[in-house]
Amino acid sequence: MARNIHSLPGNVPALRVLFVAFIFLPLRLVTAGGNNNNTTTSPPSTTAFSSSRANVPAASLPINESNGAVDLTGGYYDAGDNVKFGFPMAFTTTMLSWSIIDFGRNMGPELKNAVKAVKWATDYLLKATAVPGVVYVQVGDPYSDHNCWERPEDMDTLRTAYKIDAHHPGSDVAGETAAALAAASIVFRSRDPQYSRLLLNRAVKVFEFADKYRGAYSNSLYHAVCPFYCDVNGYQDELLWGAAWLHKASRRREYREYIFKNEVVLRAGDTINEFGWDNKHAGINVLISKEVLMGKADYFESFKQNADGFICSVLPGVSHPQVQYSPGGLIFKAGGSNMQHVTSLSFLLLVYSNYLSHANKIVPCGETSASPALLKHLAKHQVDYILGDNPLRMSYMVGYGARYPQRIHHRGSSLPSVQTHPAHIGCKAGSRYFLSPNPNPNLLVGAVVGGPNVTDAFPDSRPYFQESEPTTYINAPLVGLLAFFSAHP
């Protein structure tokens, strides 16, 4: 039986459950002994630059610069580790902002939490871009971090800070950061005009830096970012993505001309059915197509054609090598953490459906066609699958429904809380908790994990990180999806 996507036991909206993990600050971990407001953090070690728990405020020491210090407190961890990766964090921020821009009116009382979540991220991104010509893109050595299984409160791994600059370019992460700041400026335009102007002005400067000093950050910082968030797709799409959001936020002709002139050079038509922290192509085409469908920008017609191509490539029953469906109907793409593709692509299906509805258009796909209603149905089916309408009757959102993942790949969830175990747990001492077959002692309520494989099987085991690890960029697009379907069940 299909599960109603806007309710769960106790009539608590699924959107609210999602915000418990991703938005409420500080994070509430539910322990076996009851609620534990796990908000205290032990002082960072003398080697720590920043100590951040997943999805909650960070404690920090300043980073020394020749002209002073850079404050890198705040921000989000990407997943179940203790590293602040700027590339996925910026993408998460962009997607949260887009969710509010298009679906904020459907969020009801959760809208204030969504806005808080965006501001928590943008406050950090403003700090990371405070030095002109520099963007701090990562805090924490990923190799030392991934060699340990430690609570954030006990963290004693290297907190090295990594940056890009004119001599070590990173147009990908800088372009995404510019997009995040620009998108967020729209969110705050009427709520806090002064903050909105600050975000937009910084986005302009960061984009100029990204465009002037071109290169992939994984070439400049290979040993720090690869294979974790290595840019496989190239930096060109992030330049178009950043320009598209700057155009939407500022309406300046220079960005419209930049997009028009660089469409071919920056390969807007490549891999049109990819969208995520590394590849923005489908998102670029859908975002820009809104103006075409509204009759305001015929010169962007090729972007609409690409967006139509994206839609046709993900329709069930269409033979496309890059998009599959599991027997239970879940979108599946090669690579790890499949649910990131499910939520991001479903978000685009829903967004484009709304754009088509307003323009009274459909998408022709050879002998068939895709109506706005069909696209909404496809997106809703993916959300229903996530929340339990699947062969295993498993909700992949922790804390939602009667059955959900119990052994997620997440340090704070899997290790005993400081309340129940005040003593320090060392780097390797946490391994026994990682390898334990027991359920996690703390529920990371609202976190959505990587999900089942192409056969709909799910191991529910910490070592299977591709299936059991939650990420912010899985949750962020789901915010918009749940908001819409909660208002349109």
Side-chain angles (χ1 to χ4, degrees):
M1 179 178 177
R3 193 179 300 273
N4 188 329
I5 69 121
H6 70 283
S7 66
L8 80 145
N11 297 318
V12 179
L15 182 62
R16 188 174 305 162
V17 176
L18 184 74
F19 279 120
V20 171
F22 189 56
I23 290 170
F24 287 144
L25 302 173
L27 172 67
R28 230 173 248 267
L29 290 178
V30 182
T31 69
N35 287 342
N36 170 29
N37 292 337
N38 196 10
T39 61
T40 58
T41 304
S42 57
S45 70
T46 55
T47 60
F49 288 133
S50 176
S51 171
S52 178
R53 282 170 290 159
N55 308 339
V56 290
S60 162
L61 291 177
I63 293 175
N64 291 326
E65 282 284 310
S66 59
N67 61 345
V70 176
D71 174 12
L72 291 179
T73 55
Y76 294 109
Y77 289 145
D78 65 299
D81 49 35
N82 296 331
V83 182
K84 291 196 284 192
F85 292 100
F87 201 5
M89 193 195 307
F91 177 70
T92 294
T93 308
T94 308
M95 293 309 297
L96 274 176
S97 297
W98 198 354
S99 292
I100 294 171
I101 292 165
D102 277 30
F103 304 111
R105 64 189 177 279
N106 303 133
M107 291 182 182
E110 301 304 327
L111 177 59
K112 65 180 183 298
N113 293 317
V115 174
K116 286 180 182 178
V118 171
K119 191 172 187 299
W120 185 258
T122 52
D123 282 351
Y124 174 82
L125 294 177
L126 287 171
K127 296 172 184 179
T129 58
V131 179
V134 172
V135 179
Y136 284 91
V137 299
Q138 187 169 310
V139 177
D141 176 80
Y143 290 96
S144 64
D145 176 86
H146 286 66
N147 191 44
C148 296
W149 195 256
E150 286 183 307
R151 297 179 300 198
E153 294 88 348
D154 295 330
M155 185 167 44
D156 50 16
T157 52
L158 296 172
R159 302 307 292 166
T160 312
Y162 301 90
K163 66 181 180 180
I164 55 173
D165 54 30
H167 302 292
H168 308 88
S171 302
D172 33 28
V173 64
E176 181 62 69
T177 301
L181 294 168
S185 76
I186 301 174
V187 171
F188 290 99
R189 184 179 289 158
S190 59
R191 296 178 173 89
D192 188 340
Q194 183 177 358
Y195 188 68
S196 175
R197 287 192 295 272
L198 173 62
L199 293 172
L200 183 57
N201 291 338
R202 184 65 58 81
V204 169
K205 293 178 180 177
V206 174
F207 180 77
E208 289 174 351
F209 163 72
D211 191 42
K212 182 176 181 180
Y213 301 103
R214 294 191 179 188
Y217 92 133
S218 49
N219 291 335
S220 300
L221 298 171
Y222 182 85
H223 294 292
V225 303
C226 294
F228 311 100
Y229 288 100
C230 193
D231 182 358
V232 177
N233 181 64
Y235 63 82
Q236 291 85 353
D237 54 324
E238 276 81 25
L239 290 177
L240 276 177
W241 180 241
W245 277 107
L246 278 163
H247 175 56
K248 186 176 180 68
S250 71
R251 312 310 300 174
R252 296 177 189 171
R253 178 194 292 180
E254 62 185 282
Y255 298 113
R256 181 181 72 225
E257 293 179 346
Y258 182 96
I259 296 167
F260 184 75
K261 291 177 181 178
N262 287 281
E263 174 188 355
V264 176
V265 176
L266 298 179
R267 308 199 304 266
D270 284 11
T271 56
I272 56 173
N273 55 18
E274 294 279 355
F275 187 52
W277 62 264
D278 183 33
N279 192 321
K280 311 305 184 309
H281 284 107
I284 293 165
N285 291 312
V286 167
L287 181 65
I288 295 176
S289 292
K290 181 179 183 180
E291 294 193 41
V292 182
L293 289 165
M294 298 299 107
K296 298 178 180 179
D298 290 343
Y299 41 81
F300 285 152
E301 174 63 29
S302 56
F303 288 91
K304 180 186 174 299
Q305 293 174 7
N306 290 336
D308 287 353
F310 154 68
I311 294 298
C312 296
S313 74
V314 298
L315 293 181
V318 175
S319 177
H320 197 285
Q322 293 183 359
V323 181
Q324 305 175 59
Y325 282 82
S326 73
L330 184 71
I331 291 174
F332 193 87
K333 292 177 72 68
S337 190
N338 181 62
M339 217 57 98
Q340 68 178 306
H341 305 301
V342 176
T343 60
S344 292
L345 296 180
S346 297
F347 180 89
L348 293 185
L349 288 173
L350 180 60
V351 165
Y352 204 55
S353 169
N354 284 346
Y355 297 167
L356 290 168
S357 293
H358 289 300
N360 196 27
K361 301 283 187 181
I362 62 171
V363 178
C365 298
E367 297 179 357
T368 185
S369 61
S371 66
L374 174 62
L375 301 187
K376 286 185 174 68
H377 173 77
L378 291 175
K380 185 176 185 296
H381 180 70
Q382 298 303 306
V383 174
D384 286 341
Y385 186 110
I386 292 171
L387 298 182
D389 186 10
N390 56 61
L392 295 182
R393 292 295 182 259
M394 166 83 77
S395 163
Y396 292 101
M397 178 187 289
V398 176
Y400 181 92
R403 186 183 183 201
Y404 48 80
Q406 300 289 325
R407 301 162 188 84
I408 69 172
H409 183 99
H410 186 279
R411 287 158 173 76
S413 174
S414 66
L415 290 159
S417 71
V418 293
Q419 184 181 53
T420 61
H421 190 292
H424 178 86
I425 300 176
C427 171
K428 295 301 183 183
S431 298
R432 70 184 183 95
Y433 299 101
F434 173 75
L435 297 171
S436 169
N438 297 327
N440 288 6
N442 309 308
L443 291 183
L444 187 61
V445 178
V448 181
V449 298
N453 64 22
V454 73
T455 67
D456 297 304
F458 179 71
D460 194 11
S461 173
R462 290 175 213 98
Y464 289 84
F465 66 92
Q466 292 184 334
E467 290 84 7
S468 65
E469 188 170 21
T471 73
T472 56
Y473 46 90
I474 291 175
N475 273 42
L478 195 55
V479 169
L481 288 160
L482 288 177
F484 179 84
F485 289 123
S486 67
H488 305 85

